Amino acid sequence: MDRHIGMLVNTQKKGALDMACRLIQWGKKKEIPILLPPHEASILGVPATTDDIWKTMVNFTVVIGGDGTFLRASRYVLNHSIPLYGINLGHLGFLASGKPEEAESDLEQILRGDYALQEHRILEGVIWREERRKHTLYALNDLVLTKGAFARVITIEIRIGNRYFNTLPADGVIVSTPTGSTAYALSAGGPIVPPHVPCMVLAPICAHTLYARPVIVGERDIINLIPRGSHRDLMLTQDGQLGYEILPGDRIELSLSHTKVVKVIVLPQRTYFDLLHEKLKWGQGIVRYEDKE
């Protein structure tokens, strides 16, 4: 069976480009084709594979960069069943969890089949304007409704399905997947949710009320956000990378997609809870007392 590794790279980082060159040379020595789409190939000066062919040929893809690169990669492969493995050259790296010094050994382990696939649910958002579908968005981490540059509170009506839930005066609101629970939602006081737990997190941003708290919403629920008032400087951001203008009276319908997932390669020696322990420094600096016999 032919083995083809795809590669997606943060071309703005010299370290990522150096790592990509290193792995391309490793692939040549191992006689394992590493395929790059046109943008990455032009920067690295190697032969390119067209997007359509790339998406049909690769068995899995190594993503070199940080979590932002991983989020872009997830949108790139969203309609194709291509597992992703991230090598982290960013900061925390909850998505891109591989270590640069172990890159070659990790890829060899994956090629041996010594890994598991973890399906990460995708958030689907539909912007309705005058009851017409304006945009349909997909996000691995979150969709966030926020005010613009002016320091004005916005008022957001929240409905779960057709039932009224709350009217929230706030700087904005985050709706995240479990994957995104360690991103923006965490900084807004939301809970950490493992990727295999099917739910959504609804987290207010700087709510102007004492009673607003993050809420866990079920996997089959539908969240509707409706901005009220005349505030026109509103934005819906997709994974913190793409933005869409929101007008008063628009309705943003949010749910977990039932047709789209992102497949992430997980190595048995590097579990999600190991990652939390490492990245969040849990338990470090705490004195441990042992019972004396």
Side-chain angles (χ1 to χ4, degrees):
M1 175 180 168
D2 291 337
R3 298 175 298 177
H4 295 88
I5 300 176
M7 182 180 287
L8 298 171
V9 186
N10 182 344
T11 56
Q12 303 299 312
K13 284 189 176 181
K14 182 180 183 303
L17 294 173
D18 291 343
M19 170 63 67
C21 291
R22 189 177 112 194
L23 291 181
I24 290 170
Q25 293 305 313
W26 169 86
K28 288 179 179 178
K29 291 179 182 177
K30 295 285 184 178
E31 297 184 343
I32 299 170
I34 295 181
L35 306 183
L36 290 93
H39 174 67
E40 281 86 348
S42 65
I43 299 294
L44 289 163
V46 299
T49 305
T50 64
D51 291 328
D52 291 342
I53 294 175
W54 188 95
K55 291 175 182 178
T56 58
M57 287 191 67
V58 300
N59 300 106
F60 71 93
T61 294
V62 56
V63 182
I64 303 175
D67 282 355
T69 310
F70 200 98
L71 291 169
R72 286 191 292 274
S74 72
R75 289 197 297 274
Y76 184 63
V77 304
L78 186 57
N79 294 315
H80 299 78
S81 185
I82 301 174
L84 302 177
Y85 183 71
I87 296 176
N88 180 38
L89 283 96
H91 298 291
L92 278 178
F94 279 101
L95 293 169
S97 59
K99 299 178 180 180
E101 62 272 18
E102 300 174 4
E104 289 88 350
S105 61
D106 285 354
L107 294 185
E108 289 176 358
Q109 181 175 344
I110 294 167
L111 290 168
R112 291 196 304 270
D114 184 15
Y115 67 91
L117 281 181
Q118 189 175 71
E119 291 190 344
H120 288 234
R121 299 291 295 272
I122 291 290
L123 194 64
E124 180 176 316
V126 180
I127 301 173
W128 294 91
R129 183 165 296 160
E130 297 177 351
E131 293 310 312
R132 294 182 179 179
R133 185 187 291 255
K134 184 72 175 176
H135 298 289
T136 300
L137 322 173
Y138 295 96
L140 177 58
N141 263 2
D142 50 39
L143 291 168
V144 182
L145 176 63
T146 56
K147 65 183 182 64
F150 293 102
R152 243 179 98 189
V153 175
I154 60 176
T155 302
I156 305 164
E157 180 180 324
I158 302 172
R159 291 181 170 268
I160 308 297
N162 294 320
R163 295 180 66 87
Y164 174 79
F165 180 69
N166 194 6
T167 299
L168 185 68
D171 287 358
V173 65
I174 302 162
V175 179
S176 91
T177 63
T179 306
S181 70
T182 50
Y184 195 3
L186 184 64
S187 68
I192 293 174
V193 184
H196 64 273
V197 178
C199 67
M200 293 177 284
V201 176
L202 177 65
I205 304 171
C206 298
H208 291 244
T209 169
L210 296 176
Y211 304 107
R213 293 292 183 268
V215 176
I216 298 290
V217 181
E219 66 171 321
R220 298 188 181 279
D221 287 325
I222 297 173
I223 300 171
N224 285 283
L225 305 179
I226 306 166
R228 296 303 187 188
S230 58
H231 200 302
R232 299 186 66 87
D233 191 16
L234 302 174
M235 184 70 68
L236 183 72
T237 57
Q238 177 186 14
D239 280 337
Q241 296 179 340
L242 301 173
Y244 301 82
E245 182 186 24
I246 299 297
L247 301 179
D250 285 357
R251 178 169 59 88
I252 305 163
E253 182 183 277
L254 302 151
S255 60
L256 289 178
S257 174
H258 296 294
T259 59
K260 300 179 187 295
V261 296
V262 170
K263 294 183 179 180
V264 178
I265 291 174
V266 179
L267 301 183
Q269 71 271 24
R270 201 172 296 145
T271 70
Y272 179 75
F273 295 103
D274 291 333
L275 196 62
L276 286 179
H277 186 271
E278 176 187 345
K279 301 297 182 180
L280 300 182
K281 311 298 183 186
W282 283 355
Q284 297 186 23
I286 297 176
V287 177
R288 293 181 173 84
Y289 296 95
E290 297 180 359
D291 293 335
K292 295 182 179 179
E293 295 183 355

